[in-house]
Amino acid sequence: MRPRRFVPAGPLKGRIRVPGDKSISHRSIMLGALAVGETRVTGLLEGEDVLATAAAMRAMGAHVERTGEGAWTINGVGVGALLQPEAPLEMGNSGTSTRLLMGLVSSHPITASFTGDASLSKRPMGRVITPLSQMGASFEASDRANSSQTLPLIVRGASPAVPITYRLPVASAQVKSAILLAGLNTPGTTTVIEPVPTRDHSERMLRGFGADLTVETDAEGARVITIRGEAELRPQVIDVPGDPSSAAFFLVAALVTPGSDVVIENVGLNPTRAGIVEVLTAMGGRIEKLNEREVGGEPVADLHVRHSALKGIEVDPQVAPSMIDEFPALFVAAALAEGVTVTSGLDELRVKESDRLAVMAQALIAAGARIEEREDGLVITGTGGEPLRGTAGEDTIETHLDHRIAMSMAIAGIASREGVLIDDTRPIATSFPVFETMLDTLAQDSAQG
Ligand code: S3P
């Protein structure tokens, strides 16, 4: 365990560039590993989750090599030619690696065993097992004492797999992507119906790699995505934009710390991801988009953010999928806003790296915030700009192996009087290894405890 007390900081000032988008980084490696020829990636997120994907694709035959900081080359094996991995695929903390790779394995004539850390081993896999079983894959608990809906699991791919039409029962880009990736090596057309739109990086990137993929809207407004199988993917050159989910911590930190003025460069603002910018702006946050452009087929801008008097709002549950990973950071902003913030429709937060509703409610209450935890959201009464009390003495916030809890409570710490002591900062490396260095550089006066 690596505990740390995050203490009140002076104004945050300067320019930062957050690491590459986690979702796009995973997909760059997976699709590169299935293309024939050399894919070159720059700006790749070198966090533990993405490294788990890289190791798994290597174990299944691709050449995945780091050539410089964030610069990687991938020589793929071609769709249909993944090799049987010799050892279990170690997924660490990464739900995205696990669910998407289960999709890939499901339509290849191979068997792979998936293992994960304590957090990942509690997360529901039934949501991918159901559709992938319909496609012909089979799933078995590798540890018989264990449920067959959680890791560790053995996946046996089907050859050939059967194309399906599947309506997503939960708004999940991971489930959608698992089915589309399985569809790549399935004869015929695989269809996913998505009643509530989720991040569309898989669709954009599969098209970019040359897959025959269509997206239409049906009479009820649901997105209907089809992919034609036995695809041939062409290698690509990809520049990964900065991760809006990582930028979110610095947006909130600058908004709640008096005197702050920060520019976050190169932030991906795909509309299926940018909900946090809208919501913070609606709360009165001063966030300006500068230099709007396209990077790697995704809309990108530099975000200029200044300390602002935030006001509580009722957050429309419709925006939840476009900021699903940003709620822990938003809860911190709400705890320091004036008035009440109401969130709802967030049941999915209970099955992330931790139960983010319960864990954030407990953590913020321990730091002096006023929170009511409901079944599907939090109701937060803010301080009106006053710092939170913080945690006293040895009182420690438990982060439950959840990187976003650790980073959110770090921000709560710099916006508190006494600071906030966190049990373990190591999970931060899953998505944002340079988070602490960036925070310390921006907060000239912050001292490590
Ligand atoms: C992701 C989808 C989301 C998100 C996760 C990354 C992806 O998960 O929380 O961090 O890359 O597809 P769900 O699909 O489970 O909502």
Side-chain angles (χ1 to χ4, degrees):
M1 298 277 248
R2 198 188 311 132
R4 174 172 169 182
R5 176 174 289 279
F6 288 87
V7 296
L12 303 178
K13 291 206 165 171
R15 296 180 80 87
I16 53 169
R17 208 177 165 89
V18 291
D21 189 273
K22 181 155 76 71
S23 294
I24 297 175
S25 296
H26 281 297
R27 289 158 174 81
S28 299
I29 293 178
M30 291 180 197
L31 296 181
L34 288 171
V36 178
E38 182 164 290
T39 289
R40 287 199 302 277
V41 188
T42 50
L44 188 96
L45 168 64
E46 294 174 338
E48 287 165 2
D49 283 11
V50 176
L51 299 181
T53 289
M57 295 321 300
R58 273 191 203 111
M60 291 191 278
H63 290 272
V64 184
E65 232 181 292
R66 182 178 195 265
T67 55
E69 199 185 318
W72 290 63
T73 60
I74 302 135
N75 278 283
V77 294
V79 171
L82 289 178
L83 300 181
Q84 161 111 16
E86 279 168 16
L89 303 175
E90 308 270 2
M91 299 286 95
N93 190 250
S94 181
T96 310
S97 310
T98 309
R99 297 194 179 113
L100 272 57
L101 291 175
M102 283 181 168
L104 281 184
V105 168
S106 285
S107 62
H108 278 77
I110 57 176
T111 296
S113 157
F114 289 79
T115 62
D117 72 4
S119 150
L120 184 57
S121 301
K122 283 191 225 144
R123 299 182 66 187
M125 295 299 148
R127 53 182 60 199
V128 287
I129 293 175
T130 301
L132 297 175
S133 302
Q134 289 174 15
M135 295 180 83
S138 65
F139 294 77
E140 190 191 309
S142 46
D143 158 5
R144 293 228 166 247
N146 206 58
S147 131
S148 56
Q149 307 280 298
T150 52
L151 295 195
L153 283 168
I154 298 169
V155 184
R156 284 193 182 79
S159 181
V162 185
I164 58 168
T165 294
Y166 192 76
R167 192 182 176 86
L168 295 178
V170 277
S172 165
Q174 292 180 358
V175 177
K176 167 176 67 178
S177 303
I179 301 166
L180 294 176
L181 291 176
L184 269 180
N185 195 40
T186 301
T189 300
T190 297
T191 304
V192 181
I193 303 169
E194 186 179 55
V196 182
T198 64
R199 66 187 67 193
D200 64 357
H201 306 300
S202 293
E203 294 94 305
R204 288 176 187 242
M205 293 180 72
L206 280 163
R207 272 227 188 97
F209 272 86
D212 183 355
L213 180 142
T214 64
V215 183
E216 278 162 20
T217 307
D218 72 9
E220 281 105 57
R223 290 176 83 237
V224 179
I225 308 148
T226 65
I227 187 162
R228 184 178 291 277
E230 299 179 296
E232 268 180 42
L233 300 187
R234 293 187 296 270
Q236 298 298 301
V237 175
I238 301 169
D239 188 8
V240 181
D243 197 326
S245 302
S246 297
F249 300 107
F250 287 101
L251 286 176
V252 171
L255 288 172
V256 302
T257 310
S260 295
D261 190 329
V262 174
V263 174
I264 313 173
E265 295 172 351
N266 193 39
V267 182
L269 291 176
N270 177 317
T272 63
R273 294 288 300 283
I276 185 68
V277 177
E278 275 169 50
V279 169
L280 289 172
T281 304
M283 292 173 79
R286 293 184 293 169
I287 305 173
E288 245 180 298
K289 291 179 199 163
L290 309 174
N291 192 11
E292 292 185 62
R293 58 203 186 271
E294 255 202 23
V295 173
E298 297 271 346
V300 158
D302 301 332
L303 297 180
H304 180 198
V305 51
R306 281 168 290 173
H307 170 248
S308 306
L310 297 179
K311 289 201 166 45
I313 60 167
E314 188 158 334
V315 179
D316 179 354
Q318 296 282 350
V319 305
S322 69
M323 54 174 290
I324 195 67
D325 292 335
E326 284 65 78
F327 281 95
L330 177 73
F331 296 150
V332 176
L336 289 141
E338 187 189 320
V340 181
T341 296
V342 182
T343 60
S344 59
L346 302 182
D347 320 65
E348 274 295 300
L349 291 195
R350 296 207 181 269
V351 291
K352 294 293 180 189
E353 286 83 329
S354 69
D355 174 346
R356 287 181 174 161
L357 291 180
V359 173
M360 280 306 293
Q362 274 169 25
L364 282 170
I365 289 169
R370 287 170 60 195
I371 315 269
E372 179 201 332
E373 181 185 341
R374 294 184 178 164
E375 207 39 51
D376 68 339
L378 301 186
V379 177
I380 301 176
T381 305
T383 60
E386 288 304 309
L388 293 170
R389 182 195 66 232
T391 58
E394 298 301 300
D395 288 355
T396 309
I397 300 294
E398 284 184 41
T399 50
H400 298 269
L401 290 176
D402 188 336
H403 52 137
R404 299 197 200 282
I405 303 293
M407 290 186 275
S408 300
M409 292 312 295
I411 302 305
I414 66 166
S416 71
R417 286 197 305 273
E418 319 237 329
V420 166
L421 176 61
I422 288 171
D423 62 348
D424 195 6
T425 55
R426 288 174 312 172
I428 292 173
T430 61
S431 70
F432 199 168
V434 293
F435 169 80
E436 288 179 86
T437 321
M438 268 187 194
L439 184 61
D440 294 341
T441 311
L442 283 180
Q444 309 95 333
D445 303 333
S446 130
Q448 204 160 325

